[in-house]
Amino acid sequence: MAWKTLDDMDLSGKTVLVRVDINVPVENGRVTDTTRIDRIVPTIRDILAAGGLPVMLAHFGRPKGQFVPEMSLRVTVPALEKALGREITFIERPDAAIIAALPEGSVALVENTRFAAGEEANDPAMAQFLASLGDIYCNDAFSAAHRAHASTEGVAHLLPSCAGRLMQAELSALEAALSAPERPVGAVVGGAKVSTKIALLENLVGRLDLLVIGGGMANTFLAAQGAKLGASLQEPDYMDTARAIMVQAEKSGCRVLLPSDGLVARAFEAGADHEVVALGPDTVLDDDQMVLDAGPDSVKAVAAAFEDLKTLIWNGPMGAFEIPPFDQATNAAAADAAARTRAGTLISVAGGGDTVAALNQAGVSEDFTYISTAGGAFLEWMEGKTLPGVAALG
């Protein structure tokens, strides 16, 4: 690994600027999901244990360089204090003198970095100002690492820098899944549209042994082969792209697995009447029929394909998982991957988009090897792009 971790730094007596992602959901003035807060706890505790003083930098919402009261990070303080079991000093206007006066064992949180116009512009002056507040920079916000902002990239070049525990876990998991995986390696790529995942698919087919395509995007691939899928979600403008990806996969030796059957309904609603229909190049559905999930034969084929894998990457659901019974394929395939992971025969890494929600709904999140809470950063890594916040740690 080219990046340093907290273990490589002398933290004793040092002020450590920690970029975290606590952009959490809030209702009626309280945090409703503390997942992102819980995940930064190991980093803060390790800095304290090593004698450092953690000063957290974070964004909240999209205030676009202006002070927006409802986007103040102050709302996260009670949840942070509960998670860390200690008082948090909230610093509305960051100042080196205020930070220097904090007693040993303190933890501080600086107000929303995006209230400053220089943050998203990656203004060198803002990066310099942030650097003046601390001795060491620690990035623990992988989910913001695809943004070249002052607090994610600029300041990293001005101080001794390292990855926090969450960033370290994310990077290690992604390296294991894609950069140097145990083979055979496969991926489940689902979701609504091919158009949002072209770069991902193009990068993966050259690296994988198996690619399972599900969700609405599978309809576009089936339609590209000649299927007439009625009112199913599909993207006619991307059929050539789908065909090109199939050709690229064949050249690379990557097997592409599309649904061979599907749950077809005439209404997009929970509990809608449906039937199982065989899917292939010759399929012709009525104009009002929709493929909303993969069928039982497809689920069996996916399970059989998983048997040979050592590593699995998962991004996106295999059907309209939000509305039963069209969650069946996602739930079944996820349960199969989870069982193999528990048995120690599969390394499973998931993340991005609706993936976390789908796996939580399937009740298997605890069983995957690693689940990333990052959205865009996870996808861009999988697309083979350089993430500025990670590159700056090198």
Side-chain angles (χ1 to χ4, degrees), residues 158-387:
L158 304 175
L159 291 174
S161 299
C162 67
R165 297 306 186 201
L166 177 55
M167 174 76 86
Q168 181 181 353
E170 295 264 7
L171 294 177
S172 297
L174 294 178
E175 289 275 352
L178 197 59
S179 299
E182 286 191 44
R183 306 195 81 97
V185 58
V188 173
V189 179
K193 297 181 178 181
V194 175
S195 55
T196 62
K197 297 192 177 178
I198 294 172
L200 175 65
L201 293 169
E202 289 177 339
N203 185 47
L204 288 182
V205 293
R207 295 168 173 257
L208 300 176
D209 302 296
L210 170 73
L211 174 61
V212 178
I213 297 179
M217 60 193 298
N219 297 333
T220 299
F221 278 82
L222 290 165
Q225 296 177 343
K228 308 297 182 186
L229 299 181
S232 303
L233 179 63
Q234 52 195 302
E235 295 179 285
D237 291 345
Y238 288 89
M239 289 183 189
D240 285 344
T241 301
R243 283 187 282 266
I245 289 170
M246 296 288 282
V247 170
Q248 185 182 346
E250 187 173 0
K251 289 180 180 177
S252 302
C254 174
R255 177 190 175 200
V256 176
L257 188 59
L258 293 170
S260 59
D261 62 346
L263 303 190
V264 174
R266 298 179 191 271
F268 187 79
E269 58 188 33
D273 289 337
H274 63 279
E275 58 183 311
V276 177
V277 174
L279 298 177
D282 299 325
T283 300
V284 179
L285 299 183
D286 294 342
D287 289 346
D288 63 344
Q289 287 185 300
M290 296 173 282
V291 181
L292 296 179
D293 197 14
D297 285 347
S298 300
V299 170
K300 290 176 184 175
V302 169
F306 282 179
E307 286 184 13
D308 298 325
L309 297 182
K310 294 291 186 184
T311 304
L312 177 68
I313 302 161
W314 192 303
N315 175 250
M318 295 181 64
F321 77 99
E322 308 93 332
I323 51 173
F326 308 112
D327 56 353
Q328 293 181 50
T330 299
N331 291 348
D336 186 86
R340 296 180 192 282
T341 305
R342 285 196 305 272
T345 62
L346 184 69
I347 296 169
S348 53
V349 176
D354 293 326
T355 308
V356 177
L359 297 184
N360 283 341
Q361 183 174 299
V364 300
S365 296
E366 297 299 318
D367 295 317
F368 269 56
T369 305
Y370 192 81
I371 294 183
S372 171
T373 56
F378 181 90
L379 277 177
E380 290 196 18
W381 178 283
M382 289 298 169
E383 290 169 2
K385 295 179 180 176
T386 298
L387 306 186

Side-chain angles (χ1 to χ4, degrees), residues 90-106:
F90 184 72
I91 302 176
E92 191 170 336
R93 295 181 180 277
D95 181 274
I98 293 175
I99 293 171
L102 292 172
E104 185 178 341
S106 296

